[in-house]
């Protein structure tokens, strides 16, 4: 395999494009900053902030039903606000709503609130029966993101992509 | 700011009539999203249309869903029927809509002052006298207005069809029950809507 030289956000951006994902509603996260900025800078995308992550899920579901593909960007805390919206909209209606979550609250974070919330994410995804994959290595990034997105659309199922600090570097914090 | 005070004069319309008037005036082209609560029941009772989407859950997401539809098909008018209780739960979406300013989106706020479907308990907005149309305007939906009666509702719906939005129309509703209940088959509702919207090509199954 060729050594991957692009940063994770450049890989993700190209995979979005290759899969025709144009609509990117988000609630921001520090780690997602370069990806959000790149989406705004590229006229291929319609990227914009929402007040809540639930809204972003509703927007992406509505857009897909009308023929436009989208994906929601958020951090772990934002994901934790979503079980009801995911269960009763994309899961119940079989809509391939995609969420990409920057994993916060693990591997060296200072915020106890985020650390607690982080533990709820995978159990929620498992109990919803939602496909989810964690991207932790640069050389696997394109494959995991691309295949997860493709399968979501082909099976009309929602899915989550979790971006580990191992991939993104997370948020650098000083030792206590 | 005269329109903001119209709230107090707005007649309480019989709820079933609103969706019927809407559907009768807009023709086949526009998409209509019916929110959780009695909004989607009213839409269903007004007669199924190929471009109707009925929510069964995800309280508060009718407007975001409508925004997604409006962004995906900017040349098609999109109407959203959303209850006051539901809007209250997701009020931030009004700012999101105003920020995107989709010209083809119209929001009908069905304000009966209660969570009717769960037993008619008054909403905190009703208890506090919150004016939801004023809220919409403060969020940047400058065209938001109350419809004082049926004739004004008709006129405002016609405006939504010809003038650029985003539009928001507040309606005070009575406490009459919905006439029918939506068939609860989410994948089928979604599939029909997608075919109606041309997002699935083969229409023979629709
Ligand atoms: C998040 C969430 N909380 C509570 C409910 C239960 N619930 C369903 S409909 C509803 C009331 C809806 O009120 P409104 O939008 O004003 O519509 P109405 O019933 O008056 O037609 C409630 C509380 C729910 N479905 N989801």
């Amino acid at each position: 395999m060729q050594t991957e030289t692009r940063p994770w956000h450049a890989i993700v951006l190209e995979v979005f494009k290759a899969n025709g994902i144009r609509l990117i509603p988000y609630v921001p996260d520090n780690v997602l900053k370069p990806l959000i900025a790149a989406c705004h800078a590229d006229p291929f995308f319609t990227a914009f902030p929402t007040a809540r992550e639930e809204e972003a899920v509703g927007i992406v579901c509505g857009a897909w039903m009308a023929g436009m593909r989208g994906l929601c960007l958020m951090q772990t805390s934002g994901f934790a606000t979503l079980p009801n919206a995911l269960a009763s909209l994309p899961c119940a209606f079989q809509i391939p709503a995609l969420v990409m979550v920057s994993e916060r609250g693990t591997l060296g974070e200072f915020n106890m609130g985020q650390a607690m919330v982080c533990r709820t994410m995978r159990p929620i995804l498992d109990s919803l029966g939602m496909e989810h994959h964690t991207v932790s290595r640069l050389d696997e990034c394109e494959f995991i993101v691309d295949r997860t997105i493709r399968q979501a659309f082909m099976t009309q199922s929602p899915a989550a992509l979790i971006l580990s600090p191992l991939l993104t570097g997370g948020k650098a914090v000083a030792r206590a | 700011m005269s329109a903001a005070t119209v709230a107090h004069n707005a007649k309480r319309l019989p709820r079933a009539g609103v969706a019927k008037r809407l559907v009768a005036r807009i023709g086949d082209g526009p998409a209509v999203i019916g929110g959780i609560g009695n909004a989607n029941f009213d839409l269903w009772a007004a007669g199924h249309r190929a471009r109707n989407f009925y929510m069964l859950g995800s309280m508060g997401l009718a407007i975001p869903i409508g925004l997604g539809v409006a962004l995906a098909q900017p040349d098609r008018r999109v109407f959203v029927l959303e209850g006051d209780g539901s809007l209250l739960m997701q009020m931030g979406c009004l700012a999101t809509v105003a920020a995107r300013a989709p010209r083809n989106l119209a929001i009908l706020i069905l304000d009966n002052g209660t969570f009717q479907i769960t037993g008619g308990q008054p909403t905190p907005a009703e208890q506090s006298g919150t004016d939801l149309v004023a809220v919409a305007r403060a969020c940047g939906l400058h065209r938001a207005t109350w419809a004082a009666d049926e004739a004004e509702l008709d006129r405002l719906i016609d405006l939504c069809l010809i003038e650029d939005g985003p539009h928001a129309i507040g309606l005070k509703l009575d406490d009459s029950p919905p006439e029918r209940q939506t068939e609860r088959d989410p994948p089928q509702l979604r599939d029909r809507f997608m075919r109606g919207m041309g997002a699935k090509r083969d229409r023979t199954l629709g």
Side-chain angles (χ1 to χ4, degrees):
Chain A
M1 192 184 271
Q2 249 186 317
T3 321
E4 183 59 67
T5 52
R6 297 168 295 170
W8 67 269
H9 44 90
I11 299 171
V12 167
L13 195 87
E14 280 174 38
V15 173
F16 287 176
K17 278 188 154 176
N19 284 282
I21 292 175
R22 291 176 181 274
L23 193 64
I24 310 286
Y26 62 85
V27 177
D29 171 69
N30 229 312
V31 172
L32 294 170
K33 216 172 139 183
L35 179 59
I36 291 170
C39 289
H40 276 287
D42 189 329
F44 180 84
F45 297 102
T46 302
F48 58 88
T50 60
R52 287 180 64 81
E53 290 79 4
E54 286 181 294
E55 275 181 55
V57 169
I59 290 165
V60 158
C61 288
W64 182 76
M65 290 192 289
M68 185 184 200
R69 292 178 170 193
L71 176 145
C72 315
L73 297 175
M74 65 192 70
Q75 65 159 254
T76 330
S77 316
F79 177 81
T81 68
L82 288 181
N84 176 60
L86 290 173
S88 60
L89 186 58
C91 292
F93 284 85
Q94 295 173 10
I95 296 172
L98 290 160
V99 299
M100 181 170 270
V101 189
S102 157
E103 188 173 21
R104 304 294 308 274
T106 186
L107 294 172
E109 295 245 21
F110 60 88
N111 184 335
M112 189 58 190
Q114 278 188 340
M116 299 296 289
V117 156
C118 184
R119 293 169 204 161
T120 68
M121 178 164 56
R122 288 178 183 84
I124 288 171
L125 285 162
D126 289 336
S127 59
L128 287 170
M130 264 177 73
E131 183 92 2
H132 63 90
H133 294 284
T134 301
V135 191
S136 50
R137 293 168 53 116
L138 204 56
D139 62 351
E140 293 176 351
C141 183
E142 178 170 355
F143 189 92
I144 294 178
V145 176
D146 182 52
R147 294 299 176 94
T148 303
I149 290 172
R150 283 203 227 179
Q151 180 166 327
F153 288 127
M154 288 189 296
T155 60
Q156 285 188 195
S157 311
L161 284 157
I162 300 163
L163 304 178
S164 165
L166 289 165
L167 178 79
T168 61
K171 195 176 176 186
V173 278
R175 286 188 182 80
Chain B
M1 297 300 285
S2 61
T5 60
V6 174
H8 308 292
N9 307 327
K11 186 181 146 190
R12 290 207 173 261
L13 307 177
R15 71 165 307 129
V18 170
K20 285 183 186 156
R21 292 189 103 80
L22 175 73
V23 166
R25 293 193 89 75
I26 61 177
D28 290 340
V32 186
I33 314 299
I36 193 184
N38 288 327
N40 75 85
F41 292 172
D42 293 343
L43 184 61
W44 181 267
H48 177 67
R49 297 164 68 254
R51 298 187 181 97
N52 285 357
F53 181 70
Y54 312 89
M55 268 174 54
L56 299 172
S58 62
M59 184 169 170
L61 293 191
I63 295 170
I65 291 170
L67 175 59
V69 173
L71 291 171
Q73 298 200 8
D75 294 329
R76 191 191 296 283
R77 299 280 152 173
V78 181
F79 289 83
V80 176
L81 298 170
E82 183 64 305
D84 52 338
S86 298
L87 176 57
L88 205 52
M89 188 171 274
Q90 203 67 244
M91 214 129 85
C93 77
L94 294 172
T96 308
V97 168
R100 306 280 50 89
R103 293 181 305 179
N104 53 331
L105 183 66
I107 298 163
L108 274 62
I109 303 167
L110 306 185
D111 184 359
N112 55 8
T114 63
F115 302 105
Q116 189 182 17
I117 202 169
T118 49
Q121 304 84 352
T123 68
E126 179 71 8
Q127 293 176 329
S128 66
T130 305
D131 180 328
L132 292 173
V133 164
V135 170
R137 278 216 226 110
C139 287
L141 295 172
H142 303 297
R143 311 189 54 127
T145 182
W146 288 99
D149 53 25
E150 281 96 342
E152 191 174 19
L153 172 59
D154 287 352
R155 189 178 64 75
L156 291 169
I157 291 169
D158 290 350
L159 276 184
C160 293
L161 292 171
I162 53 172
E163 288 190 3
D164 283 351
H167 302 272
I169 306 172
L171 298 154
K172 292 285 179 185
L173 300 188
D174 71 3
D175 60 359
S176 55
E179 291 180 349
R180 288 176 66 194
Q181 295 202 2
T182 309
E183 240 173 46
R184 292 184 177 86
D185 189 341
Q188 192 199 49
L189 296 174
R190 190 257 309 138
D191 190 74
R192 282 185 185 163
F193 178 65
M194 290 182 71
R195 290 177 199 284
M197 295 297 288
K200 273 196 171 176
R201 298 276 172 259
D202 189 348
R203 282 159 178 271
T204 53
L205 295 170

